[in-house]
Amino acid sequence: YYDPRTDIILNPLDTRSKSWHPWIDCHLDSHYDVLAESFIQTKAGVRDPFWDNASRAVLKTALRKYAAQGNTDTQKMIAFLMSASDKDFEDFFKDTEAATFTFKNNEKTTNSIRSVLSSQIEGLRQLETTNQPFSLRNWVQNEKKNGWLFITARADQRQTLTPLISAWMDITINALMILSENQQRRLWFIIDELAALQKLPRLQAGLAEGRKYGGCLLVGFQSKPQLEEIYGRQGTEAMLDLFNTKVFFRCTEPSTQAWISKVLGDKEEAEPQENISYGAHSMRDGVSLSRHTRQKPLVMPGEFSQLKDLECYVKLPGDYPCTKLQTKYQKPPPLK
């Protein structure tokens, strides 16, 4: 689908990609907070978020200081954060919000923070130094330009690039939210395999408020438990509720089947009931018929595992019935 005449690729491991560095999309001081939160996230099940919070403070402080110095060399910043001596590390962060995490006399804590930081910002190591960086925020705000922005990663690159991709997605959603309100605008975000990314802190806000800025989000994932592992059960439920149009293809995971069945709703079904009474005399015997109304799932959970290829159920917003569709495969047109 990539057309080099109109489209842009962002992937530091792809030779066709535009170059990028973090400072180009940090127009305000608060943007460093957004970027650090996207890169360094507390894993599910971690009870003590101290190490992640400390690493986040170190990263955003380093980004701010390098910006103040006019230095936008990502490789130099990464090398300093990972390899600087304890004294240089303490001197650099002196009198900043990260100073309490960088004392040379507290070597064990500092080294642990640097270890956590190293594992989370691996994607930044792949960025090349450039004097002509591509800005995601400027691309979103340039409404005169057509084309797609492809943020990509092959399967063997995903482990390294996932934090970087998640940060880029967060930046674009955040950039949408500062545009003027315009319900005629259409800016599409198509996210395939959402569960393959880290948590996107701005995604829920984008779903809840993005439509008034013209944002349209199309998201695909395999099963609900995948999202619950990243966003938690309540966070997943709240996020999925914000998708108005839902398309369900074949699914074999039981809890996801049950959830889909509930989303599609129930139907009322009248069942005839026959009552037979016996008396001491044959004249007292009798049969009475009655109708009993009860609710049943519109689609039973087990039916989702029986869907054929390209067959799906569609639930639209508003007063429209749930529909079962058989779609046809369409080959993309060849690019000229």
Side-chain angles (χ1 to χ4, degrees), residues 14 44 83 103 115 138 147 175 187-188 219 238 262 283 316 319 327:
D14 190 322
S83 307
F103 287 130
S115 176
N138 290 344
L187 180 59
W188 281 90
V219 174
K262 290 181 180 178
M283 294 296 290
L316 299 171
D319 188 19
T327 61

Side-chain angles (χ1 to χ4, degrees), residues 12-290:
L13 302 179
D14 190 322
T15 56
R16 300 167 296 174
S17 173
K18 293 282 188 180
S19 298
W20 179 85
H21 64 57
W23 296 276
I24 192 64
D25 282 314
C26 292
H27 301 169
L28 302 174
D29 195 56
S30 59
H31 292 167
Y32 292 104
D33 299 330
V34 172
L35 192 62
E37 185 181 359
S38 300
F39 267 105
I40 302 172
Q41 301 182 2
T42 302
K43 299 294 186 295
V46 175
R47 295 184 178 181
D48 185 4
F50 168 80
W51 304 108
D52 295 314
N53 291 338
S55 300
R56 204 174 290 132
V58 168
L59 177 60
K60 63 187 179 183
T61 302
L63 287 167
R64 287 184 178 120
K65 288 209 67 173
Y66 268 77
Q69 295 170 0
N71 188 347
T72 57
D73 190 325
T74 310
Q75 297 306 317
K76 284 185 178 180
M77 185 190 71
I78 297 298
F80 174 80
L81 291 175
M82 299 300 103
S83 307
S85 67
D86 292 341
K87 184 180 185 307
D88 290 341
F89 205 68
E90 180 182 20
D91 291 343
F92 181 82
F93 289 102
K94 188 176 181 181
D95 298 327
T96 69
E97 62 179 298
T100 55
F101 309 123
T102 58
F103 287 130
K104 65 180 181 179
N105 295 332
N106 198 2
E107 181 180 347
K108 186 176 180 180
T109 299
T110 300
N111 288 340
S112 296
I113 292 171
R114 292 170 79 169
S115 176
V116 172
L117 185 62
S118 176
S119 64
Q120 299 275 24
I121 61 174
E122 181 63 30
L124 290 175
R125 294 179 186 270
Q126 312 301 325
L127 300 176
E128 295 182 354
T129 302
T130 178
N131 294 322
Q132 295 181 323
F134 170 76
S135 171
L136 289 156
R137 291 185 184 275
N138 290 344
W139 184 85
V140 170
Q141 292 167 4
N142 185 357
E143 300 188 46
K144 296 181 180 179
K145 197 169 184 179
N146 295 321
W148 289 88
L149 169 62
F150 291 94
I151 300 177
T152 67
R154 290 187 336 204
D156 59 344
Q157 302 169 348
R158 198 172 295 154
Q159 184 67 28
T160 300
L161 297 182
T162 290
L164 195 56
I165 293 173
S166 300
W168 285 338
M169 288 302 305
D170 238 23
I171 289 171
T172 55
I173 294 173
N174 185 257
L176 168 71
M177 306 288 278
I178 61 174
L179 295 175
S180 60
E181 293 187 15
N182 184 351
Q183 296 187 5
Q184 303 304 315
R185 182 190 293 121
R186 288 295 179 268
L187 180 59
W188 281 90
F189 295 79
I190 301 179
I191 308 175
D192 189 22
E193 297 293 352
L194 176 62
L197 300 177
Q198 290 185 165
K199 181 179 180 180
L200 302 179
R202 313 295 156 224
L203 179 58
Q204 188 165 332
L207 287 166
E209 303 174 35
R211 60 176 60 89
K212 65 184 177 183
Y213 304 102
C216 307
L217 284 92
L218 174 62
V219 174
F221 60 94
Q222 298 289 337
S223 67
K224 191 163 171 274
Q226 288 181 320
L227 294 183
E228 291 177 347
E229 187 176 353
I230 301 171
Y231 293 90
R233 185 173 181 180
Q234 291 183 341
T236 299
E237 295 282 359
M239 182 174 64
L240 294 179
D241 182 57
L242 293 170
F243 289 96
N244 284 332
T245 301
K246 298 179 174 67
V247 182
F248 301 109
F249 288 87
R250 184 170 56 233
C251 171
T252 59
E253 201 280 314
S255 65
T256 305
Q257 288 179 337
W259 169 71
I260 296 173
S261 181
K262 290 181 180 178
V263 169
L264 295 182
D266 298 330
K267 62 180 178 179
E268 286 189 353
E269 195 171 78
E271 293 184 345
Q273 286 187 335
E274 182 178 326
N275 297 316
I276 302 175
S277 62
Y278 297 94
H281 191 274
S282 59
M283 294 296 290
R284 295 183 181 179
D285 295 342
V287 177
S288 64
L289 297 175
S290 63

